[in-house]
Structures are given as structure tokens and as C-alpha cells.
């Protein structure tokens, strides 16, 4: 293996998580220690920062503030949803990226994101190879959606799952106080995959789980939904429902899509408003008192409920990416191989970017009950190890002390 000497760039992309900055910390602090990495640059707003030559010199940050990154939710460097064109149709962006890479002698590129970001990472990797520019490109996984292919699970998911299960259990307590009837609908993120909404069922292990759970893996039928809610409500006086934002009818139309028409850079519909919409439907057709709750951004930035396991694995993913790249690896994403047969163990492995980019991993149908409105024990046993442990979050005036980065932009001409 030849030693490759040069600068590195780390970028964050897509929707943030409560532990994505632990991965950034893993990349930045490991890269700062590697002799062959001459400079550590942070891209402002992911690949857009490279295109705009807006790069932070991470070497100028205080080490103590970098240490706090792991307790700081959301993307500290800024994120983006920017789709690179097919290079055979339009290579403008790629030429610009190569120009910026050459300007700073960038020989290592770490991109921290989910499906769409791995598409970006893969395209850049292949373009650099095609142009004969030696640069080691590594994907660092993150997504609360847990839908990346080739890995047991994704950093960010365990913490969001813990937030969701805890919030559902807390709401369950509140939703059961009155002696009058109530229906509660909780809307959970996850777009096309139901891992997050399914995690609400973890609350059932402590006796406070939702009565019904709806995932995008099963076609939604409004009449069947109303019938199931009615049956539970009439029998018990209460009904708590967890729904994925991505539930859709058999013809593919999102149940919530009517509420919003905005799309992001990758053409994904901006989902939301589903809880309120279903609450209205229930109120009109059943006549119950209904509350619709959208967990929205809280579920992906709620670092006060982060999982220590998730946080440590997120850091490990970043650290592994740098160590593997320095050791000669490129064109890969860090993935996890886990064993749950005797306790829980997790080791980082590398997967080719080709098998990761643009493939969405769904909840297996066998882990959803036959009626399509609940989860099996196999699902819960899969998720439970990922939510374990509480990080020792630093505090200031009883509030979390997040990292305060200087974010010094490079001024190279
Ligand atoms: O990145 C994952 C995710 O959090 C999805 O669960 C959600 O649908 C989407 O991002 C929301 O994206 P945005 O923050 O761009 O509205």
C-alpha cells in the first residue's frame, strides 16, 4: 500500500441525527492525528461547500469543543440536499469538485450521510477514478431512517428509536388520565421505511405501547384503519396509534401528500401533517376526542435521549473511515456487522459504495404482524440493543452544553 499524503474533507449531508456529530468528531479527531493527512477541512453544507469553496479549517478548533461534538445534535458543519447530475450528462459539478480538490491537494474525502449522500459519495468516487486523480473516498453512514443497505443498522437510528419509544410511553401515560374517551395519533418520520415508526412498539415492553402501528411496508387502507381504531376505542375507551409519515395507499399515493407539495433536491416529497389529517378523519367518522401529534424534528435532534450504544458506534464509524482510508481503502462505506445471539456485539466492516447507494432497506414483512398494524418480537429484539445506555451529557446551567465551533473559513487563493 502506498502512503497517500494530502488534505481531507469531511462533509455532512441529508437530514441530521442526534449523533451525526459523533461521527464527524471521529473523522476530524482521527484525521488530525494521522501524519499523512496534512489538513482537515470541513465542508460548509456538505458537497455545496466544496462546490462553493466554503471550507472550514478544522485544525483551528479547540480540542475541548471538538470533544463536545458527540453530545451536540444535528449537523455541526451544515447539511444539504443536493443531487449531483449523472456525470455522463453533465459533468460541470464534478469538474468543479476536482478543481477544489486539486487546489487544496485533497486526497481523502469522507461523506457522512444516508442513501442520497451515498449516491453523491459513489459518484464522486467513480469520477475521481475515471480522471485518474488519486483520492480515497469513504462513506460514513448516518440516518434516523435506518434504511441503508449493506449494514445491520445505521448510526442515528438507535437514538431516534429511543426518543420515539420513550415519547410514546410518556404520551401513553398522559393519554390515559381522563375517564373520558381519547384517541391519540403519533406521526413518526422515516419516509419509505418503517424502522422508526416500528420502534414505537418498544414502549409495549414497558406496558405503554401504541395499540396500532402503521408502516410504509404495508399498503394503507383508510376504511380498515378507521374500523380498527373504532373497535379498540369502543372496547377500551382509549386508542393510541403510531403512524409512519410514509404510509401510502395501494396505488402508491402518500396518505399525507395531499397536505404538502414541496420536494427536496432529490425529488422526495416533504412529508408531514399526517397526524392532524388522520385525527380529523377519526373525529369525523368516530366522533372521539382526538389529538394528533407530529414528533417532527424532535425525534432526530433529541440528544437528551440519545443511546450511548448509538453514540459510540457513530464515533466508531467516523474513526474507522479515516483509519481504513489511510490504510489504503477507498470507494467504500463503513457498515456494521452485529451479533445478537449471545448479548450484543457490533464490529465495523467495509461495503462497496455500489451496493449501498440508492437502495432502501425496508422492515422485513415477517417482522410485521399479519394484520399489518403491529410489530413482532423479532423486530423489537432487533432494535432493543441499539437503544441501550445513557451518555454522560455535559451541562451548563442545567442545560446541555453543545459544541461551539469557530468555523474558520480557509482563505487560500
Ligand atoms: O433524513 C431522514 C429524514 O429525517 C426523513 O425521516 C424525513 O422524511 C426527512 O429526513 C425530512 O427531511 P427534511 O429535513 O429535509 O424535511
Amino acid at each position: 500500500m502506498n502512503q497517500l499524503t494530502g488534505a481531507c474533507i469531511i462533509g455532512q449531508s441529508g437530514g441530521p441525527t442526534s449523533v451525526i456529530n459523533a461521527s464527524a468528531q471521529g473523522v476530524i479527531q482521527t484525521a488530525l492525528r494521522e501524519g499523512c493527512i496534512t489538513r482537515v477541512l470541513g465542508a460548509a453544507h456538505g458537497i455545496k461547500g466544496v462546490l462553493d469553496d466554503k471550507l472550514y479549517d478544522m485544525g483551528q478548533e479547540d480540542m475541548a469543543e471538538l470533544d463536545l461534538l458527540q453530545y451536540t445534535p444535528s449537523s455541526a458543519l451544515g447539511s444539504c440536499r443536493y443531487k449531483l447530475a449523472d456525470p455522463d450528462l453533465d459533468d460541470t459539478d464534478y469538474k468543479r469538485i476536482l478543481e477544489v480538490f486539486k487546489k487544496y491537494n485533497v486526497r481523502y474525502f469522507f461523506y457522512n450521510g444516508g442513501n442520497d449522500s451515498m449516491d453523491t459519495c459513489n459518484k464522486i468516487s467513480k469520477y475521481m477514478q475515471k480522471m485518474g486523480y488519486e483520492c480515497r473516498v469513504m462513506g460514513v453512514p448516518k440516518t434516523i431512517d435506518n434504511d441503508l443497505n449493506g449494514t445491520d443498522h445505521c448510526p442515528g437510528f438507535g437514538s431516534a428509536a429511543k426518543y420515539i419509544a420513550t415519547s410514546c410511553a410518556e404520551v401513553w401515560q398522559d393519554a390515559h388520565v381522563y375517564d373520558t374517551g381519547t384517541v391519540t395519533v403519533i406521526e413518526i418520520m422515516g419516509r419509505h421505511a418503517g424502522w422508526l415508526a416500528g420502534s414505537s412498539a418498544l414502549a409495549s415492553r414497558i406496558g405503554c405501547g401504541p395499540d396500532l402501528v402503521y408502516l410504509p411496508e404495508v399498503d394503507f387502507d383508510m376504511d380498515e384503519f378507521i374500523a380498527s381504531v373504532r373497535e379498540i376505542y369502543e372496547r377500551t375507551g382509549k386508542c393510541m396509534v403510531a403512524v409512519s409519515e410514509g404510509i401510502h395507499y395501494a396505488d402508491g399515493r402518500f396518505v399525507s401528500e395531499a397536505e404538502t407539495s414541496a420536494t427536496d433536491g432529490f425529488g422526495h416529497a416533504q412529508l408531514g401533517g399526517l397526524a392532524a389529517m388522520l385525527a380529523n378523519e377519526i373525529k369525523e367518522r368516530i366522533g372521539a376526542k382526538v389529538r394528533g401529534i407530529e414528533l417532527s424534528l424532535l425525534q432526530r435532534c433529541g440528544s437528551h435521549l440519545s443511546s450511548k450504544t448509538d453514540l459510540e458506534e457513530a464515533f466508531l464509524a467516523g474513526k474507522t473511515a479515516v483509519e481504513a482510508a489511510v490504510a489504503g481503502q477507498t470507494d467504500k462505506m463503513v457498515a456494521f456487522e452485529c451479533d445478537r445471539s449471545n448479548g450484543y456485539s457490533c464490529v465495523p466492516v467495509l461495503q462497496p459504495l455500489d451496493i449501498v447507494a440508492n437502495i432502501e432497506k425496508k422492515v422485513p414483512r415477517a417482522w410485521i404482524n399479519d394484520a399489518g398494524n403491529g410489530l413482532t418480537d423479532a423486530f423489537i429484539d432487533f432494535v432493543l440493543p441499539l437503544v441501550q445506555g445513557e451518555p454522560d451529557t455535559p451541562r451548563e446551567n442545567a442545560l446541555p452544553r453543545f459544541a461551539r465551533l469557530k468555523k474558520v473559513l480557509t482563505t487560500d487563493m
Side-chain angles (χ1 to χ4, degrees), residues 15 81 144-145 189-191 245 300:
R81 291 203 187 272
I144 60 166
D145 295 354
M189 280 183 165
R191 204 173 266 149
E245 62 175 6
R300 68 181 192 194

Side-chain angles (χ1 to χ4, degrees), residues 171-192:
V171 167
W172 189 98
Q173 298 291 339
D174 192 298
H176 284 74
V177 293
Y178 298 121
D179 57 356
T180 49
T182 346
V183 177
T184 312
V185 181
I186 302 181
E187 175 183 343
I188 297 164
M189 280 183 165
R191 204 173 266 149
H192 305 128

